[in-house]
Amino acid sequence: MPKPMLFVVDDDPGSLQRVERELARRYGADYDIASDSSASKALWQLENLRAAGREVTLILSDLVMPGMDGIAFMSAAREIVPEAKRALMVDLGDISCAGTLLQTLTFGQADHYMAKPFRTPDEQFHRAVTELLEEWAQVHRGQFQFVRIVGEQWSPRSSELRDMLHRGGIPNIFYDVNTEEGRRLLKAVDAGADVLPVCVLYNAEVLVNPTNAELDAAIGVSTYPPDELFDLAIVGAGPAGLSAAVYAASEGLHTIVLEPEAPGGQAGTSSLVRNYLGFPRGISGGDLMRQAYRQAWLFQARFNFSRRAVGLRVNGRKRVVMLSDDLRVSSRAVLLAVGITYRRLGIPRADELIGAGVFYGSAASEAQAMRDKQVFVVGGGNSAGQAALHLARYARQVRILVRGGSLAESMSDYLIREIQATRNIEVLRHSEVIEARGGRLLEGLVLRNNAAGRTEEVEAAALFILIGGVPHTEWLPPAVRRDEQGYILTGRDLVDGGPAREAWPEGRAPLPLETSIPGVFAAGDVRHGAAKRIASAVGEGSVAIGQVHQYLAHPGT
């Protein structure tokens, strides 16, 4: 079987030779290397390779070439071998091309950029190449599967399990029960198709329609909190909660994080976050949150999953978080970082078809199932834009529905420009979904254009809804004061325009992120007045720990 290929284009013979030499020395055992000094001839080569059934993994191109520059070449190459990773090469120290590279990455004309190798071995060059090869392999090479799932493709429960495992970074593969592979796996484990989904673990353990807690326990995830007194209990493992866990545990606080699902919150569903500090290429929300989780774990923060917080009470100087299944966690301080849940669309049939074509959130685990289908995204914020761009890699067409007249009202400029440059994304302004249609699966939508006053019915394979959130605070006692929308009041908001200062039980002013219960803090999207940005939530999570230290040092002052 022929090896996959690495392809290089550079009009400078010396530079081309150095790149070829570096690639051959490091990757020659596993990849074939092809090259050309002419962009037009390189496209002809790529056409021939595709016709011959050769697999092109990575394309490297000089940015500045005569006749056809690297950006034009990459755009044309994407049409020929769309699954290949693409990176532009620039001369070391060339700072004049920053704007061009940003525009190229934003518009998806290339996946990365790198400096040309100038020494042997050039480890910085190889690091960039290896990252791209790893990204390609994650999609196109078989991976070890920790969990295999057999179920109905559009079953809500199957969708929930896939999403939970995907967000948790647990390698898994899904087989539809109606496929030969699905039937073969059920037969091999002596399981029937009458009760689905069926999960087959790496060690051959079989779970029939497991709860989240049962599946988590089977794969070694902690689902029962220890009977200990913690310094800090963090409720929620989104950006704010994970940031707080890293800082609290690293600074010696005995910390536990309580999360009912998987680490990451809404941020964990973002397909690509391009403007997060320190990641010039961008990073998926899932990867970012998994790295934060591993960092907190390394500092020995404890994590407990699959149990939902259902109550909070004060027991002297202890703060007690009640969990589902009559479990509880006691701590000296609590940080509420529960985030928000996606707002429901509230139209006929939508909620009945959740997981069967209707998805709240970006549902990154479902993207590949959208290949060659027409899908719709409802929402005009950054999360909706990121979801649309990710889905556009697979879907035939993605249509974004926004009620307003412009995406600029709520979406970052870099996302707007990338959407405009993506040919299979269309933005429908002044539009909304008023009805979902279908039997067991979503089949179509009824759309209304509010500016034109007309409705139309369209075919739709999937509907992704990202229209803002509702704070997950309904479980909190009345003593935790909230605004009219349910967001938690903290600090000055408790005494400025809120309840009278006399209602605050301590002989001091509340700390900036402290709630109306002393020793209970809030951070991230759930807090009144918080900016709905990942970086802001991360910042608040870290800032909260300084205030927790202050409270624990002088709890009554």
Side-chain angles (χ1 to χ4, degrees), residues 422-477:
T422 304
R423 292 182 304 173
N424 61 333
I425 297 181
E426 179 184 6
V427 180
L428 302 182
R429 297 170 177 82
H430 304 293
S431 298
E432 61 181 326
V433 182
I434 60 174
E435 186 178 346
R437 292 184 176 176
R440 294 179 63 250
L441 304 176
L442 177 70
E443 297 172 2
L445 301 170
V446 179
L447 310 180
R448 178 169 59 205
N449 184 300
N450 294 315
R454 66 171 184 268
T455 62
E456 63 172 326
E457 184 173 355
V458 296
E459 293 184 1
L463 174 67
F464 295 86
I465 304 165
L466 302 97
I467 53 173
V470 177
H472 181 47
T473 57
E474 73 287 346
W475 59 279
L476 291 169

Side-chain angles (χ1 to χ4, degrees), residues 386-408:
Q386 291 159 356
L389 288 165
H390 183 58
L391 290 165
R393 295 169 55 191
Y394 305 94
R396 182 180 77 251
Q397 184 184 43
V398 178
R399 305 176 81 180
I400 304 175
L401 304 175
V402 292
R403 287 190 174 186
S406 171
L407 290 175

Side-chain angles (χ1 to χ4, degrees), residues 122 198 211 303 387 544:
D122 189 323
V198 172
T211 64
F303 284 83

Side-chain angles (χ1 to χ4, degrees), residues 108-315:
Q109 294 162 300
D111 299 298
H112 199 4
Y113 70 93
M114 61 187 70
K116 295 180 182 180
F118 69 101
R119 61 189 174 194
T120 300
D122 189 323
E123 299 300 346
Q124 185 175 359
F125 172 81
H126 288 303
R127 178 182 179 182
V129 170
T130 300
E131 286 179 356
L132 289 166
L133 293 177
E134 181 184 10
E135 290 174 9
W136 182 89
Q138 287 176 349
V139 176
H140 301 286
R141 286 287 180 264
Q143 306 288 321
F144 170 72
Q145 301 302 336
F146 209 79
V147 181
R148 291 175 290 170
I149 306 171
V150 181
E152 294 178 305
Q153 175 70 51
W154 301 114
S155 159
R157 183 56 184 155
S158 292
S159 177
E160 289 172 3
L161 287 178
R162 292 197 300 270
D163 185 60
M164 183 183 81
L165 293 170
H166 177 83
R167 290 169 56 197
I170 306 299
N172 67 93
I173 188 168
F174 177 80
Y175 298 103
D176 191 292
V177 68
N178 297 311
T179 63
E180 182 179 347
E181 294 89 347
R183 291 190 293 267
R184 186 185 302 121
L185 182 56
L186 287 180
K187 184 177 180 180
V189 299
D190 196 26
D194 51 331
V195 180
L196 296 172
V198 172
C199 296
V200 183
L201 275 59
Y202 70 101
N203 58 2
E205 182 179 356
V206 179
L207 303 175
V208 177
N209 193 21
T211 64
N212 290 0
E214 289 170 341
L215 181 55
D216 275 343
I219 61 179
V221 174
S222 172
T223 60
Y224 283 92
D227 186 15
E228 304 172 17
L229 177 63
F230 290 88
D231 292 322
L232 176 65
I234 300 171
V235 187
L242 290 174
S243 171
V246 168
Y247 282 90
S250 68
E251 294 172 10
L253 294 180
H254 188 32
T255 303
I256 187 169
V257 183
L258 308 171
E259 168 58 49
E261 297 177 356
Q266 283 195 33
T269 69
S270 296
S271 58
L272 184 66
V273 182
R274 198 181 290 281
N275 59 354
Y276 192 80
L277 183 67
F279 294 91
R281 283 186 58 209
I283 184 172
S284 77
D287 285 342
L288 181 64
M289 293 298 99
R290 282 188 287 272
Q291 289 186 34
Y293 165 71
R294 286 192 289 268
Q295 191 174 12
W297 173 84
L298 186 65
F299 282 121
Q300 301 183 61
R302 305 285 288 273
F303 284 83
N304 188 262
F305 294 99
S306 297
R307 310 293 181 184
R308 188 172 297 279
V310 296
L312 174 67
R313 73 183 188 192
V314 176
N315 183 7

